Every structure is written in structure tokens, then in C-alpha cells.
């Protein structure tokens, strides 16, 4: 390939890491926060789809992208809170409840979103960071979502808070040893409901990013399984908010390889390359989830639930 084609390929993958990786970042941070408390939320796919639809609808009706962002976060938090409340009941399984909530969230989104498939909503403003370059492809790649810096800051704050604050210690204690948290007089149920709700709100920002920036429209296939992929992404990041940044960028760039190759005239295997994020998910699960050993960084209560 020529130097220009290599630049196009690099720009396409960089743009994927920044644009496609932004929803991955928010959803993985939300799941990381939830799992740190000792609970798994497989309903994040439903959270993502519902928040994407609500964000788009609110932006359309309110004619403000930021109204949509707020509405998406609230919708994600409410559905996640329902998951947290249901899982706090006796003899209720986290995984089964998560799957049920995934179906509920997706069904509500598909039903409520039918009037919003055609309209256009105000979009989240972009930061144009590529004006220094004369390459249109690089300029386009460096046109980043305004929510991305918020996600990076949130990852830093989560990493600091989990390690250096009392609330972070309580969250990790509930995730590592529920009996120890109860012995100290803390409500493990309350901590997990709060963590699940906040995790849903963070994931809701990822849903808002999908419909209000890239691809910037609402349709029923908007998430492409990103909510479920986020669970594997958190395992890959070893339950670290900072590593979630790199993991989200990796998955984002993997998802952009197909379009990037098409932009340089390589149309063969386009749909095959589109499966890369899902192949990565399978690979991560195979390498990380072995019955004879625990994944590094796994909260103790999640490990105990496997046995």
C-alpha cells in the first residue's frame, strides 16, 4: 500500500478507537463499578439500548443534546436500579435477572423508539483536535465526542476513589467479603444497589453517545451487543477503571478495521473483519475464565459465586 493508504488505514483505526471506543468506555466503567461491589449486571445491553433511545427521544423533544444526555443517564440508572433491587431479594440469581432486564430494556426501547427512527436529533458537540493536520482523514479521526474527556476523567476519579476514599473502601469490601462488611455494620445490599444504579447511569452516558454522536441516529440495532461485550472487557481490564480506557480503545479500533480497510480499497473480508470485537470477546473469556484459577483482580464475592 502507498503512504497515503497507510495514513487512511491508521486514521480509520484511530477514529474507531476514539468514536466507537467511547460507548465501550462508559459501559465498561459502569460494569466495573457494579462488579467491584460483588454484583454482575448482564442487563447492561438493555440499559445501553434503552438509554440510547431515551437520550435520542429527549434530545428530539427538548431540542437539546444535553437534555438527551441527562435523560439517557437517568434511564440507565433506573433500569439498573431495578436490577439491583430484584437481586437483593432472597433466592434471586444475578445472571438470570440480568438477562430478563436485558430483554425488558430492549423491548421497551424498541416499542418506545418507533416514532424516532426517522427524525434527527441535536448532536453532542465535537472537539476538533485535528486542525493542525492537512489530512482530511486525520482531521475526521480527531473529531472527538465531547463526552470522551468526561469518560477519561471519570476513569481517573474512579481509580482514585476506589483506592483512596472511605466510600471506595466500602465498595471494595462489599465486593471482596460481604461477611466482613456486615460484621463492620455496613449494609451490603444498600452498597450494591447504589453501585449498580450508579453503574447504570454511567453506562447510560454510553447509550447517549451512540445516538447523539456516533452513529448519531436511533435504530433497533444501535448497540450491536456492546453491553454484553463490556462484561468481557471488564475482565480483560482486570477490574481496573484505568485499564478500561485501553480496553475500550482496543475494542473500538478492532470494530473500525473493516471500514478502514474498505476506505483504502480492500473490500474483501469486510464482513469478516466486522466480527473482530466478538472474536476478541470469545478469546478473552476463554483465556480469562478458567475453572482452576481466578482472573487477576476479580472481586472475592464474584469468585465465590462461581464455586
Amino acid at each position: 500500500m502507498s503512504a497515503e493508504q497507510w495514513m487512511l488505514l491508521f486514521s480509520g483505526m484511530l477514529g474507531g478507537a476514539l468514536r466507537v471506543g467511547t460507548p465501550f468506555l462508559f459501559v465498561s466503567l459502569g460494569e466495573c463499578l457494579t462488579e467491584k461491589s460483588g454484583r454482575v449486571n448482564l442487563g447492561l445491553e438493555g440499559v445501553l439500548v434503552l438509554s440510547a433511545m431515551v437520550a435520542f427521544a429527549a434530545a428530539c423533544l427538548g431540542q437539546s443534546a444535553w437534555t438527551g444526555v441527562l435523560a439517557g443517564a437517568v434511564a440507565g440508572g433506573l433500569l439498573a436500579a431495578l436490577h439491583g433491587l430484584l437481586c437483593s431479594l432472597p433466592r434471586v440469581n444475578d445472571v438470570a435477572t440480568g438477562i430478563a432486564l436485558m430483554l425488558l430494556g430492549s423491548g421497551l426501547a424498541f416499542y418506545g423508539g418507533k416514532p424516532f427512527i426517522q427524525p434527527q436529533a441535536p448532536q453532542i458537540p465535537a472537539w476538533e483536535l485535528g486542525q493542525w493536520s492537512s489530512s482530511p482523514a486525520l482531521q475526521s479521526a480527531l473529531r472527538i465526542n465531547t463526552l470522551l474527556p468526561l469518560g477519561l476523567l471519570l476513569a481517573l476519579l474512579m481509580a482514585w476513589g476506589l483506592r483512596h476514599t472511605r466510600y471506595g473502601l466500602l465498595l471494595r469490601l462489599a465486593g471482596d467479603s460481604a461477611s466482613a462488611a456486615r460484621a463492620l455494620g455496613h449494609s451490603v445490599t444498600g452498597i450494591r444497589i447504589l453501585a449498580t444504579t450508579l453503574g447504570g447511569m454511567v453506562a447510560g452516558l454510553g447509550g447517549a453517545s451512540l445516538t447523539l454522536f456516533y452513529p448519531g441516529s436511533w435504530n433497533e440495532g444501535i448497540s450491536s451487543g456492546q453491553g454484553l461485550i463490556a462484561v468481557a472487557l471488564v475482565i480483560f481490564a482486570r477490574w481496573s477503571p484505568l485499564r478500561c480506557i485501553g480496553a475500550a480503545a482496543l475494542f473500538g479500533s478492532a470494530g473500525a478495521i473493516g471500514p478502514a480497510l474498505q476506505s483504502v480499497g480492500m473490500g474483501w473480508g469486510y464482513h469478516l473483519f466486522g466480527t473482530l470485537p466478538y472474536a476478541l470477546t470469545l478469546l478473552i473469556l476463554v483465556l480469562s475464565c478458567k475453572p482452576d484459577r481466578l482472573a487477576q483482580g476479580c472481586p472475592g464475592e464474584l469468585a465465590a459465586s462461581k464455586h
Side-chain angles (χ1 to χ4, degrees), residues 2 5 35 47 59 64 72 84 122 165 172 179 183 193 226 249 280 287-289 295:
S2 66
Q5 287 177 314
E35 292 193 17
V47 169
S64 168
T165 68
R172 290 191 291 118
S179 57
I193 290 174
Q226 291 184 33
L280 271 176
L287 294 178
S288 302
C289 302

Side-chain angles (χ1 to χ4, degrees), residues 14-35:
L14 176 62
L18 295 175
R19 287 194 294 266
V20 183
T22 298
F24 275 125
L25 176 60
F26 282 109
V27 181
S28 63
L29 288 176
E31 180 63 10
C32 183
L33 184 63
T34 301
E35 292 193 17

Side-chain angles (χ1 to χ4, degrees), residues 210-227:
L210 280 175
T211 49
L212 298 180
F213 188 81
Y214 182 82
S217 61
W218 160 249
N219 64 76
E220 295 181 356
I222 191 73
S223 79
S224 303
Q226 291 184 33

Side-chain angles (χ1 to χ4, degrees), residues 20-293:
V20 183
T22 298
F24 275 125
L25 176 60
F26 282 109
V27 181
S28 63
L29 288 176
E31 180 63 10
C32 183
L33 184 63
T34 301
E35 292 193 17
K36 277 290 188 181
S37 72
R39 172 161 291 153
V40 176
N41 185 4
L42 289 183
L44 274 183
E45 177 70 10
V47 169
L48 187 67
V49 176
L50 182 63
S51 61
M53 186 280 293
V54 170
F56 191 82
C60 274
L61 298 175
Q63 287 300 301
S64 168
W66 297 114
T67 300
V69 170
L70 179 60
V74 171
L78 289 175
L79 188 60
L82 179 59
H83 176 72
L85 290 169
L86 290 175
C87 290
S88 66
L89 298 175
R91 297 185 296 276
V92 173
N93 182 270
D94 287 14
V95 174
T97 305
I99 294 173
L101 266 293
M102 175 180 68
L103 297 175
L104 174 63
S106 300
L108 289 174
F110 297 164
Y111 179 77
K114 289 187 181 298
F116 299 99
I117 292 177
Q118 293 298 328
Q120 290 297 310
Q123 299 289 290
I124 296 170
W127 287 12
E128 306 286 351
L129 301 183
Q131 296 303 314
W132 53 270
S133 173
S134 59
S135 168
L138 196 56
Q139 289 178 10
S140 176
L142 293 177
R143 185 176 182 270
I144 68 168
N145 186 342
T146 304
L147 289 179
L148 177 58
L150 175 62
L152 298 176
L153 178 61
L154 186 59
L156 292 171
L157 288 176
M158 278 181 57
W160 176 83
L162 287 170
R163 184 176 293 272
H164 298 291
T165 68
R166 178 174 180 270
Y167 301 105
L169 175 62
L170 289 178
L171 184 71
R172 290 191 291 118
L173 182 61
D176 287 329
S177 176
S179 57
R182 292 190 187 97
L184 292 173
H186 301 293
S187 171
V188 173
T189 298
I191 291 172
R192 288 178 176 172
I193 290 174
L194 179 60
T196 306
T197 302
L198 292 176
M201 293 184 72
V202 174
L205 295 175
S209 178
L210 280 175
T211 49
L212 298 180
F213 188 81
Y214 182 82
S217 61
W218 160 249
N219 64 76
E220 295 181 356
I222 191 73
S223 79
S224 303
Q226 291 184 33
L228 289 172
I229 290 175
V231 178
L233 198 151
V234 171
I235 297 172
F236 178 65
R238 300 202 298 274
W239 292 268
S240 166
L242 294 181
R243 292 193 189 100
C244 283
I245 298 174
L250 174 64
F251 271 71
S253 58
I257 288 179
L261 288 174
Q262 195 176 42
S263 70
V264 297
M266 297 178 63
W268 181 88
Y270 171 79
H271 296 292
L272 181 63
F273 281 108
T275 66
L276 269 179
Y278 310 102
L280 271 176
T281 302
L282 283 174
L283 181 63
I284 288 169
L285 291 176
V286 168
L287 294 178
S288 302
C289 302
K290 296 186 177 180
D292 58 337
R293 66 179 178 86

